[in-house]
Amino acid sequence: MSKSKEVVSSAIPASVEPVRIAVIGCGYVGLVAAVCFAEIGHSVICIDSDAEKIECLQQGRIPIHEPWLEELLRSQNPTSLRFSTSLADAVRASQVVFIAVGTPPLESGDADLSYVEAVAVEIARSIDSYKVVVEKSTVPVYTSDWIARVLRRNGVRPGEADIVSNPEFLREGTAVTDFLYPDRIIIGTCSDRAFRIMERIYRPLIDGSYSRRPSAVTLFSNETRQATLLRTSAKSAELIKHASNAFLAMKISFINSVANLCEQVNANVEEVARGIGLDRRIGSQFLRPGLGYGGSCFPKDIKAFYSIGEQMGAELTLLREVERINERQRDHFLRKVRSTLWNLRGKHLAVLGLAFKGGTDDIRESPALSLVKSLIGEGATITAFDPAAMANARRAIVSPRLELAESALQAMDGADALLILTDWPEFASLDLSEVKARLAQPIVFDGRNLYHPAVMAERGFTYVSIGRAAVEAATEPSELHSAATPYRVA
Ligand SMILES: NC(=O)c1ccc[n+]([C@@H]2O[C@H](COP(=O)([O-])OP(=O)(O)OC[C@H]3O[C@@H](n4cnc5c(N)ncnc54)[C@H](O)[C@@H]3O)[C@@H](O)[C@H]2O)c1
């Protein structure tokens, strides 16, 4: 049975031994973790230094776009989930303190760990009894050692705190279900005491009992899922997170390289990706060609992982190429736009998608946003639509050449071409007759391969996608995009 849209009260089953938890940082990870810990039966205080964010949460409003989050927040009673700006009070009231603040990239590529350090200092000054301090933020190997050192330097006595690395693998857009039904839960610690408490926190997800609750958020597949618990050292746990993200980014860059070859030899990358992915050793996920990875995690984590490898004398040179391919992918797409439209100066383009991927309002390192900036830089005027990311995009790009539309179709009115830049599901089911009627020219650049070239050709579009031969509207001179005539660089 799935949780309906209305508020459902979540009685805590007897099998749950509630733990008092503080989560520091109410961002995409901290807020989801806090709400989900409360959902599975624990008592949670979520802290942020941003008073405005806390006020918004205290009023029951969610500052980010994330499916399920609002319903779950509303279904908690005020004693199981609270929001505050007082880190000290939260630490004193809790057994376990999760650090979930940002770790943005520095110029050097290293992760900026100053927020983590600042929080560790504050935790140390507030400790009045034994605490488990958990790294939830993505951090380089050795951070747990540094946190332990900071706690000691700030007066925490041996035995008063244990450090655990518990990396988070959720994806924005499906964060709640990813958190409640994870493939694995990694607990990295040398302390048996801390491990037992962490196991208690995650027990409903490990033994599958959460998924059997009548009020549980369910997956589409409706299966009972039990997460695999893996205990490691803290350093291994830190490396598992960076290595996982690096591997996924590598898959994306790999398929994008294959896509570019497909374009040259007139093959279809979707067929190739399916053929590769059916091999269970490889798997089909993250083999979707597109505009490259973005978001707040992959770009910075790849840089930080490379940097720590270099510092330790074990350079991960492969990652440099992964990054290069990713950066080139946007330029390659831009070249296709130029080679089809000729001059961009004075052109009016409709853009669908601004978020770094579908399902989120997050625009950090968004390929879509970077392409919009480039197009504006070349003199085009953009009318864009995104179901969730328009407010963030408006703050990020202040230009009279960017207009925001109220709907996907409205963005297309009179445009010289349509560019699909984010894989929102609704962009895959547009009324093509309406699209054609609204565009001044029936030209579509699909950076996410949401449509079939044959269908688009039949409907009279010039259609340019990734790793598949472009097709041309019947009215176009048939010369532009075959394998034999590579895309021209303007
Ligand atoms: N976003 C993801 O999909 C994702 C997934 C897995 C892991 N991670 C990792 O989790 C960490 C957090 O990422 P995020 O996307 O949630 O970041 P975010 O920027 O959305 O949120 C961080 C929050 O921490 C708060 N904060 C900063 N300093 C603080 C302090 N001293 N006291 C209290 N609050 C403070 C900020 O105000 C902000 O609300 C990062 O290390 C990230 O790499 C993110």
Side-chain angles (χ1 to χ4, degrees):
M1 204 199 298
S2 69
K3 183 167 282 199
S4 62
K5 291 283 175 205
E6 70 267 17
V7 172
V8 179
S9 85
S10 45
I12 301 169
S15 59
V16 176
E17 291 177 71
V19 176
R20 283 174 285 110
I21 294 173
V23 178
I24 317 297
C26 289
Y28 287 86
V29 166
L31 183 57
V32 170
V35 170
C36 290
F37 283 142
E39 164 74 4
I40 62 178
H42 302 297
S43 166
V44 185
I45 308 180
C46 197
I47 301 300
D48 206 285
S49 48
D50 181 340
E52 216 175 291
K53 205 179 249 191
I54 290 299
E55 203 182 316
C56 163
L57 287 161
Q58 284 169 338
Q59 289 165 2
R61 289 183 290 120
I62 297 283
I64 56 173
H65 175 91
E66 197 55 59
W68 283 111
L69 206 51
E70 195 155 351
E71 287 103 312
L72 290 194
L73 176 68
R74 295 222 169 114
S75 71
Q76 304 309 319
N77 69 50
T79 53
S80 60
L81 180 59
R82 285 178 292 142
F83 296 96
S84 163
T85 49
S86 173
L87 192 147
D89 289 349
V91 169
R92 282 193 277 270
S94 307
Q95 297 157 280
V96 181
V97 183
F98 283 82
I99 303 176
V101 296
T103 49
L106 292 167
E107 280 282 301
S108 61
D110 289 317
D112 179 353
L113 297 171
S114 58
Y115 301 94
V116 173
E117 183 179 354
V119 166
V121 170
E122 270 199 81
I123 293 172
R125 291 181 183 157
S126 316
I127 282 184
D128 58 351
S129 60
Y130 175 75
K131 309 286 171 197
V132 179
V133 177
V134 187
E135 270 174 15
K136 197 60 159 162
S137 300
T138 301
V139 290
V141 65
Y142 285 116
T143 303
S144 55
D145 284 357
W146 272 109
I147 294 176
R149 209 169 296 164
V150 168
L151 294 186
R152 275 201 307 277
R153 283 179 187 166
N154 287 277
V156 175
R157 291 186 302 271
E160 243 185 340
D162 282 314
I163 315 295
V164 172
S165 168
N166 171 223
E168 182 51 55
F169 301 97
L170 63 77
R171 296 159 297 177
E172 290 175 22
T174 50
V176 168
T177 45
D178 286 349
F179 193 94
L180 292 171
Y181 297 95
D183 294 331
R184 77 293 209 195
I185 292 162
I186 309 288
I187 298 180
T189 183
C190 58
S191 157
D192 292 340
R193 184 180 183 186
F195 178 75
R196 278 196 300 276
I197 296 173
M198 291 297 288
E199 197 185 17
R200 213 170 101 196
I201 292 178
Y202 283 109
R203 193 172 300 144
L205 308 184
I206 296 163
D207 65 13
S209 59
Y210 171 72
S211 68
R212 290 192 292 275
R213 290 186 205 164
S215 65
V217 171
T218 52
L219 292 170
F220 284 121
S221 57
N222 228 8
E223 61 190 316
T224 302
R225 284 266 293 268
Q226 291 170 247
T228 300
L229 174 67
L230 180 64
R231 181 175 176 181
T232 66
S233 69
K235 287 194 186 74
S236 296
E238 288 163 339
L239 285 173
I240 286 168
K241 175 62 189 175
H242 265 162
S244 299
N245 275 3
F247 193 83
L248 293 173
M250 187 178 74
K251 271 184 112 176
I252 294 172
S253 281
F254 176 79
I255 201 63
N256 280 334
S257 298
V258 174
N260 294 339
L261 177 57
C262 286
E263 287 174 10
Q264 296 307 317
V265 301
N266 215 358
N268 181 331
V269 72
E270 299 294 339
E271 293 173 356
V272 176
R274 179 150 166 74
I276 304 170
L278 283 171
D279 185 330
R280 271 175 294 187
R281 294 170 302 177
I282 298 172
S284 58
Q285 292 199 39
F286 283 76
L287 281 184
R288 292 198 52 199
L291 298 172
Y293 58 78
S296 67
C297 293
F298 284 5
K300 85 168 167 63
D301 291 348
I302 281 32
K303 281 188 173 48
F305 197 31
Y306 178 83
S307 180
I308 194 80
E310 200 179 28
Q311 288 163 39
M312 295 297 137
E315 218 176 327
L316 296 153
T317 49
L318 175 68
L319 300 184
R320 276 287 181 250
E321 197 50 34
V322 168
E323 281 187 314
R324 256 193 294 271
I325 295 166
N326 199 56
E327 279 154 23
R328 283 201 301 257
Q329 197 60 11
R330 292 172 209 181
D331 296 340
H332 185 56
F333 187 74
L334 207 52
R335 280 201 296 277
K336 292 191 213 183
V337 177
R338 288 193 208 108
S339 75
T340 305
L341 298 182
W342 197 13
N343 300 298
L344 293 182
R345 184 162 301 282
K347 293 269 161 45
H348 171 204
L349 305 175
V351 162
L352 293 189
L354 296 163
F356 85 92
K357 66 172 190 170
T360 181
D361 59 346
D362 198 344
I363 54 160
R364 291 178 284 185
E365 300 285 327
S366 165
L369 213 66
S370 124
L371 278 163
V372 166
K373 283 182 187 159
S374 302
L375 294 164
I376 289 174
E378 294 196 28
T381 304
I382 309 289
T383 306
F385 174 75
D386 186 288
M390 294 213 287
N392 286 338
R394 176 47 82 210
R395 280 191 287 272
I397 304 182
V398 182
S399 166
R401 292 227 213 89
L402 172 64
E403 212 178 286
L404 299 176
E406 275 168 26
S407 70
L409 288 173
Q410 196 199 65
M412 298 170 206
D413 281 335
D416 293 307
L418 166 65
L419 282 73
I420 302 175
L421 303 184
T422 305
D423 56 348
W424 280 95
E426 46 265 65
F427 296 162
S429 53
L430 297 168
D431 176 342
L432 292 177
S433 310
E434 190 70 21
V435 171
K436 197 163 173 211
R438 293 199 181 222
L439 289 172
Q441 297 292 333
I443 301 174
V444 177
F445 299 94
D446 184 353
R448 301 292 177 175
N449 285 4
L450 300 186
Y451 290 90
H452 289 287
V455 172
M456 295 303 275
E458 203 180 288
R459 303 296 296 265
F461 287 95
T462 290
Y463 177 71
V464 182
S465 57
I466 309 281
R468 305 179 299 180
V471 295
E472 286 159 13
T475 53
E476 294 268 299
S478 62
E479 195 238 344
L480 289 179
H481 332 278
S482 73
T485 52
Y487 297 107
R488 290 187 303 249
V489 181

